[in-house]
Amino acid sequence: MEDVSQKVVPARLLLVDDEPNVLSALSRMLRHEGYELHTAGDGQAALAILEREPIDLVLSDALMPGMDGVELLSRVQQQWPECLRLLLTGQCDLSATIRAINEGRIYGYLAKPWDDERLCLTLRQALQHQQAEREQKRLEALTQDQNRELAELNATLEQRVEARTQELQQTADMLEVAYRELRESYVTATRVFSSLISQRLPTRFQTNAKVGILVQAFAEELGLDEAQQHDLQLAAALYNLGKLAWNDRLIVTPAEQLSVQQRESYRRYPATGESLLMALEHMEGAAKLIRHHREHWNGSGFPDHLQGEAIPYGARLLGLAVDFIELQRGMILPRQVPRPQALELLRKFSGRIYDPVLCRAFITLCLDKAPDLENHGRPVLALETSQLKPGMILAQDIHSISGILLLHEGKQFDAHLIDKLMRLEEVEDRRYTLLVYREEEADE
């Protein structure tokens, strides 16, 4: 007899678009992903489905007659807050995206025409994030129930109390693991969003991943606590969010060659980045670092002209990493500065732009740890996909040709994942070289 309790319930998706061909294309693509699919041609039809069906995720077009996508997702957030919300937009509309973030508190957005692989990856990661939150709530409820049982047993059953205490400790450990996984899911989701931002920038100016690697290595070297490292990772992934509003000419102009008018726009981008994240409570620490990463030690920076130790420590570190990478990419001076000269420029402006103590430590790290910085100095192996084995752990993020994050550092390979990578190589007609931790490192 079949064990119904072990049956896996497929995720239930609602696709909303006023164009039948778009709904048909999405349904055809997602049919093989194992989802239970529902479709609606407008906002009212979507709400009717939500009234009678338990839906896990709504993917809605932004521009629809009558009720647009932002209004629909806002109403979904109010009535079904646990239902994930994604926006599908056919044009670069920053104001609509900001409204969707603030009013609908969306998980993310995707542009038309979409990339099938990226859309499927975003949906999978969104649903994994949702499952982690549900599991955390389930474990919290379980802990509360067990606490009540413990209170009832405490008066008469000392031995059972001891046994139950051990069970509670195990539950607490599970909660800690779930909490860590939830925090990691925030980082992963932020990296995915960061890779979407990168699509607005030329390939040479897609610096977020490099900056993230650098600040993480330095934070570990300094022994910063977990909360500080978490905020730094998120800030590094989104520090240039405010550049989304720039035109193409401003994006490709080095900072030292900006006109007076362009410089005004340039000086606003840290504050703009912070304002775009205000609605997300868990991003508050990272948003503060983004706002102040262009402040200078001598008070000549922006947007608030903070001076010395009034500048948040993480913002000082982020500013060093951003300048170090952007100097080498030709984003500050009208030429790409080689790595040694970039370090020399940091040293030259120590005490004026940069915290002198932090700058000295930063330069020492870059000199001593290179070229192993990108894997944090831990021994790694460079392998082709065909050489991967189940159980190996990824030592560096993998991005697609277009810059989309495919897998994040720390992901453990299994046979299914290896097979998917090999099929992706065939589709993209390229071969990935992957960094994985050596076996003795993975076993620690």
Side-chain angles (χ1 to χ4, degrees), residues 288-301:
K288 183 178 181 181
L289 302 186
I290 290 171
R291 179 180 182 87
H292 296 301
H293 78 278
R294 285 300 184 187
E295 305 284 2
H296 293 171
W297 187 253
N298 63 4
S300 63

Side-chain angles (χ1 to χ4, degrees), residues 176-188:
E176 178 64 24
V177 171
Y179 177 68
R180 289 180 179 274
E181 289 179 351
L182 182 59
R183 285 177 65 87
E184 181 60 29
S185 73
Y186 281 134
V187 174
T188 301

Side-chain angles (χ1 to χ4, degrees), residues 256-267:
E256 292 298 316
Q257 289 189 326
L258 297 175
S259 66
V260 174
Q261 183 178 3
Q262 288 174 326
R263 193 170 296 276
E264 286 301 314
S265 297
Y266 179 84
R267 293 169 70 89

